[in-house]
């Protein structure tokens, strides 16, 4: 039986906006530990003393160029109370949360920002806004949680004089639950925590927990092909999508009539991963599952990364994969210990792996026993649940550490890729060398860490974190390293992005990713759906 709902987020449960110049909310920001400060002094000669941040009220913005006529036209769609040209709203929609985004926020020059922020209430208002902006030549940047780390929500004007941010937070309704089919329909503006809260009232869960979970939105997950930390058990977000409602300047699309179909190419695939360049996703029907009855965690140590990767491959290809399956290399394992100390007084050497099993008690017991036998036979040493529980407790906190490092003059950024199991060690070596060489050539040593974050029968993703001393122009410093590593990924046979999406930052490598003909196909689709080119200019499509 299908249950129809109109459950919206009340003020007590709406996720707070992230701070303008860093990740997350103030309560999450913590000073660097004595261990980290000591490591920074030893490696980079940095004292670890933070620089004071500016108040957001002191940040100069480029003046809004929204005309009175266009303001009136937008107000006719959403109402005066749902359009803002206030500096505080414009600043909080001035970009995402990549390291270059945050470094730009710290500059003293006037900041780029959208000329206005609009807050539509539903699909009809989104559709009307897109039609109006296409007619008037106003660029539109869809904005969910603002968590992009690839320039995906930067207010790029392209050829247009005016750009607005279209904030989807009011599309926050759970409209339908179908417990028989195991699906639920969610508004694109719902955040991860609020979606879990609404589903949890029905005994259900989506099980999608990327690092951005606390702030990112359902629409953003779909538009970027997000992959959560429990993807080994529940799949990527695109695996969960059953149906989509999409608004485009040319009209609406309702895609997905059945779990599977042979009615030509699956048009849902045009919009899952389209990053707001072809249309704006307004609601998503998703596969859901019952809230797990029990959870079991286990940590493992492997003597080296290659041994650990081979062990993970064996588990996945056997079909015994846990809900969560991760492996840190030697450098990342060491830094994690420097942050927290050895768990329970037990030293961890080599490479740390994390496994988590969820489901019924019988399922968890059987699956964990099978995986334990495979991992032990492959050279793993069981460490108990404490390190795994500690990882789970702090899994959303890593971006806060990045902010603290930026405050003391340390460059810290992440990037990710994926490849086949046969090419995994080669790709890891090539990316590590590219980062080390590019930053070293600029006069600073680099600490490069890596982990396997997502696994598949045929391959896995590699997630890198790089730390180096900031130079006089840290944005240019990172841009040079990013160019070198992007070229290295392509040359080594990896994808330019596994789950961060393309945005503006990875766009230079899209031709290498999909080929010249593929680029022409993307451009042709965009011309049909967005002939004026107003949707998220400068992103995804070369």
């Amino acid at each position: 039986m299908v249950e129809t709902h109109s459950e919206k987020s009340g003020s007590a449960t709406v996720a707070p906006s992230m701070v303008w110049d860093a990740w997350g909310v103030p309560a999450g920001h913590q000073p660097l530990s004595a261990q980290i400060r000591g490591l920074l002094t030893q490696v980079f000669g940095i004292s670890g003393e933070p620089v004071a941040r500016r108040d957001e009220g002191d940040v100069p913005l480029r003046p809004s160029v929204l005309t009175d006529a266009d303001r009136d036209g937008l107000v006719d769609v959403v109402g005066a109370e749902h359009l803002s040209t206030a500096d505080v709203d414009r600043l909080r929609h001035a970009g995402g949360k990549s390291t270059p985004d945050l470094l730009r926020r710290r500059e003293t020059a006037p900041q780029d920002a959208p000329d206005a922020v609009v807050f539509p209430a539903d699909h009809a208002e989104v559709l009307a806004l897109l039609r109006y902006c296409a007619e008037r030549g106003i660029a539109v940047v869809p904005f969910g949680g603002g968590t992009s780390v690839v320039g995906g929500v930067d207010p790029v004007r392209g050829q247009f004089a005016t750009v607005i941010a279209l904030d989807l937070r009011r599309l926050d309704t759970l409209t339908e639950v179908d417990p028989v089919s195991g699906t639920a329909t969610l508004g694109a503006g719902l955040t991860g925590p609020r979606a879990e809260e609404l589903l949890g009232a029905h005994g259900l869960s989506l099980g999608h927990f990327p690092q951005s979970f606390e702030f990112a939105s359902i629409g953003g997950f779909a538009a970027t092909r997000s992959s959560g930390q429990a993807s080994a058990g529940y799949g990527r977000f695109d695996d969960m999508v059953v149906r989509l409602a999409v608004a485009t300047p040319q009209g609406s699309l309702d895609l997905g009539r059945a779990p599977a179909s042979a009615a030509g190419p699956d048009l849902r695939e045009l919009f899952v991963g389209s990053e707001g360049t072809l249309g704006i996703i307004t609601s998503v029907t998703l596969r859901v599952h019952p809230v797990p009855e029990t959870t079991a965690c286990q940590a493992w140590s492997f003597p080296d990364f290659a041994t650990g990767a081979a062990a993970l491959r064996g588990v996945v290809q056997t079909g015994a994969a846990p809900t969560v399956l991760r492996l840190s290399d030697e450098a990342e394992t060491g830094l994690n210990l420097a942050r927290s100390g050895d768990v329970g007084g037990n030293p961890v050497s080599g490479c740390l792996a994390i496994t988590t099993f969820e489901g019924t008690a019988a399922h968890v017991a059987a699956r964990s026993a099978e995986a334990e036998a495979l991992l032990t036979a492959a050279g793993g040493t069981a460490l108990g649940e404490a390190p795994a529980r500690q990882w789970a407790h702090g899994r959303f906190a890593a971006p806060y550490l990045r902010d603290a490092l930026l405050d003391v003059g340390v460059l810290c950024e992440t990037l990710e890729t994926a490849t086949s199991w046969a090419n995994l060690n080669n790709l890891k070596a090539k990316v590590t060398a590219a980062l080390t060489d590019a930053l070293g050539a600029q006069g600073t040593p680099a600490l490069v860490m890596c982990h396997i974050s997502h696994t598949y029968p045929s391959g896995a993703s590699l997630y890198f974190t790089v730390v180096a001393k900031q130079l006089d122009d840290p944005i240019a410093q990172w841009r040079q390293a990013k160019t070198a590593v992007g070229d290295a990924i392509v040359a080594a046979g990896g994808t330019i992005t596994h789950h961060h999406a393309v945005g503006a930052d990875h766009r230079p490598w899209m031709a290498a990713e999909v080929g010249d003909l593929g680029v022409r196909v993307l451009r042709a689709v965009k011309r049909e759906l967005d002939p004026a080119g107003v949707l998220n200019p400068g992103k995804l499509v070369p």
Side-chain angles (χ1 to χ4, degrees), residues 138-152:
I138 299 172
V140 180
V141 178
F143 200 97
T147 61
S148 172
V149 292
V150 292

Side-chain angles (χ1 to χ4, degrees), residues 276-294:
T277 62
L278 305 178
I280 295 180
I281 296 167
T282 58
S283 71
V284 189
T285 300
L286 295 158
R287 186 185 72 230
V288 294
H289 61 269
V291 173
E293 176 184 307
T294 189

Side-chain angles (χ1 to χ4, degrees), residues 40 63 69 137 189 193 231 245 264 314 383 435 485 512 525:
L40 296 178
S231 67
L383 302 175
L435 288 167
V485 77
V525 173

Side-chain angles (χ1 to χ4, degrees), residues 77-78 120-131 171 247 252 282:
V77 177
V78 299
D122 52 28
H123 180 93
E125 288 192 1
V126 173
L127 185 64
L129 284 168
L130 295 187
R131 286 173 167 163
L171 281 70
S252 296
T282 58

Side-chain angles (χ1 to χ4, degrees), residues 203-267:
L204 299 170
S205 172
L206 182 58
H208 187 70
F209 302 109
Q211 199 166 70
S212 61
F213 166 76
E214 295 174 304
F215 304 100
S217 66
I218 293 295
F221 292 149
T224 60
R225 289 189 181 275
S226 175
S227 191
Q229 294 168 344
S231 67
Y234 300 121
R236 294 165 57 92
F237 197 84
D238 42 318
D239 297 328
M240 303 174 186
V241 173
V242 176
R243 193 165 190 162
L244 291 172
V246 184
T248 82
Q250 296 293 88
S252 296
L253 289 160
D254 182 8
L255 303 172
R257 297 177 63 87
S261 170
D266 188 346
L267 294 183

Side-chain angles (χ1 to χ4, degrees), residues 39-63:
L39 184 63
L40 296 178
T41 301
Q42 178 183 352
V43 177
F44 302 122
I46 292 173
S47 68
E49 293 301 320
V51 175
R53 294 180 181 170
R54 286 181 297 169
D55 183 85
E56 64 181 327
D58 297 330
V59 180
L61 297 183
R62 288 186 172 83

